[in-house]
Amino acid sequence: MSSLRTFDLNLLLAFDVLMRELNVTRAAEQMFITQSAMSHILQKLRQHLDDPLLVKTPSGMKPTERALALIEPVRALLAETERLIQPPLEFDAATSLRRFALAATDYLEFLLIPALTGVIAQTAPSIDLYVKRTEAAFPVAQLENSSLDVVLGFETVLNQPAHLRCQTLFDDEMVCVVRQNHPIIRAAPSLEDYIAVPHMLISWKGTPAGIIDQHLQEMGLERRIKLIVPNFLSAPLIVAQTDMILSLPYKLAKRFTKFVPLEIFPVPIKLPSYDLVMIWHPLRDKDPAHQWLRDKITTICRNIDSL
């Protein structure tokens, strides 16, 4: 008796051709093999299925009852196999009901999400978008189980596992902002002036120190942090009405100047630029819908300075 482990599934394709042609020579031509090779395949089928399958009669070869019973199941199996090995259907954003979940900082939420929702509204009106706040622990499990599609943020902060896919979207640098007509900061501040002015800090953890404080500490210096807020939402309004100074990424500072009267200056500390990245699980690498989302995010970020 044959088992699946010892059965060559290609024999089923030959069986289907033999049942259609009821002739070994014509079946061989259909499969682009020799008649002797097709005769050998028929013999293997007979051995596996323990049945002659095709029998010579005065009017030609006729299928046995066993062969007749197998014709439709074999054709259904071949059709399903053909469907399984076909490439996935193209993703139709215009009709898709897909829901995407993104994890992002309020920085990227501010810069990216308005443009992304605009693109979705125009090209994919039935797609839903959920934005979650990034957490201290990197959400590996959520990416793996598809409760998150992508994570967006600063690469140095995210510190993602190496097995995940990562794409750089753009880079940014730290600057500082003060209100217009500030009593002390009227031009690019010296390090002395920078430290002398009270600072505002954005820290979603609520910790009274950030990247700049680490660099100042290495220099034996310290700044006074007068106010800590958990996100960027109220920051420009507060700075515009006080004498505090706020250090933040340039692209965000540039956006703030459109809403409130602020001046942008370089931070008088040598700081690296920061890569903004998009991270996803390789399980979704070839998913057409996921590729569509990543392409839209990449396109928007490529033109982020013109938004």
Side-chain angles (χ1 to χ4, degrees):
M1 179 178 289
S2 180
S3 69
L4 186 59
R5 283 180 293 182
T6 60
F7 187 84
D8 182 358
L9 294 179
N10 288 312
L11 293 176
L12 296 181
L13 184 60
F15 172 86
D16 182 49
V17 176
L18 283 165
M19 292 302 110
R20 293 180 188 277
E21 297 297 334
L22 298 178
N23 183 283
V24 173
T25 301
R26 290 197 301 269
E29 291 173 353
Q30 289 292 322
M31 295 193 69
F32 302 101
I33 60 177
T34 64
Q35 181 179 349
S36 61
M38 180 55 80
S39 296
H40 179 67
I41 289 173
L42 177 56
Q43 186 58 33
K44 290 181 69 174
L45 278 165
R46 285 167 170 166
Q47 291 172 354
H48 277 295
L49 299 175
D50 193 23
D51 189 89
L53 299 176
L54 283 175
V55 177
K56 288 183 180 180
T57 71
S59 59
M61 299 191 81
K62 300 293 183 183
T64 65
E65 290 298 319
R66 169 85 161 131
L68 289 172
L70 288 173
I71 289 174
E72 289 306 318
V74 167
R75 287 176 181 168
L77 179 59
L78 291 174
E80 181 65 13
T81 303
E82 182 73 20
R83 187 189 68 80
L84 288 174
I85 64 175
Q86 290 300 309
L89 296 174
E90 267 190 51
F91 175 66
D92 184 5
T95 59
S96 174
L97 302 176
R98 184 76 176 256
R99 175 188 297 165
F100 292 113
L102 287 66
T105 62
D106 53 344
Y107 164 82
L108 273 168
E109 184 180 335
F110 190 87
L111 290 180
L112 171 66
I113 301 305
L116 182 59
T117 53
V119 168
I120 289 174
Q122 292 175 9
T123 63
S126 296
I127 285 180
D128 296 330
L129 188 67
Y130 287 6
V131 181
K132 304 176 182 180
R133 186 59 50 86
T134 52
E135 301 176 355
F138 191 88
V140 179
Q142 291 92 321
L143 284 177
E144 186 167 330
N145 65 25
S146 295
S147 58
L148 271 180
D149 289 289
V150 296
V151 177
L152 304 165
F154 290 104
E155 185 175 23
T156 55
V157 175
L158 292 175
N159 193 28
Q160 72 276 6
H163 72 281
L164 299 177
R165 298 285 190 266
C166 180
Q167 177 184 344
T168 299
L169 299 172
F170 57 87
D171 61 9
D172 208 344
E173 60 182 352
M174 294 294 286
V175 295
C176 56
V177 294
V178 295
R179 69 176 177 87
Q180 290 182 355
N181 301 315
H182 193 278
I184 298 175
I185 310 297
R186 298 180 178 273
S190 65
L191 183 56
E192 182 179 0
D193 288 339
Y194 181 76
I195 294 175
V197 175
H199 285 250
M200 177 180 179
L201 175 67
I202 298 168
S203 173
W204 63 272
K205 294 180 181 180
T207 53
I211 296 174
I212 289 176
D213 299 284
Q214 296 173 12
H215 283 78
L216 287 173
Q217 187 176 20
E218 292 172 0
M219 300 165 64
L221 300 173
E222 185 180 1
R223 61 177 176 167
R224 179 194 173 193
I225 297 176
K226 187 177 180 67
L227 175 66
I228 300 175
V229 295
N231 55 59
F232 289 102
L233 183 62
S234 61
L237 300 174
I238 296 171
V239 173
Q241 300 178 59
T242 68
D243 291 337
M244 289 187 288
I245 188 170
L246 171 65
S247 301
L248 72 170
Y250 170 76
K251 287 179 172 57
L252 196 58
K254 192 69 176 175
R255 294 290 181 89
F256 284 169
T257 61
K258 296 180 180 180
F259 305 111
V260 287
L262 298 173
E263 298 285 355
I264 301 176
F265 298 113
V267 174
I269 305 170
K270 189 175 182 180
L271 297 169
S273 61
Y274 300 97
D275 287 338
L276 273 294
V277 296
M278 173 170 57
I279 299 166
W280 67 96
H281 201 285
L283 290 172
R284 252 67 65 192
D285 211 29
K286 298 296 183 181
D287 174 36
H290 208 275
Q291 289 177 327
W292 178 88
L293 173 67
R294 300 196 312 262
D295 177 69
K296 296 306 174 188
I297 292 174
T298 301
T299 300
I300 291 170
C301 290
R302 191 179 297 129
N303 302 293
I304 198 77
D305 290 327
S306 62
L307 295 177

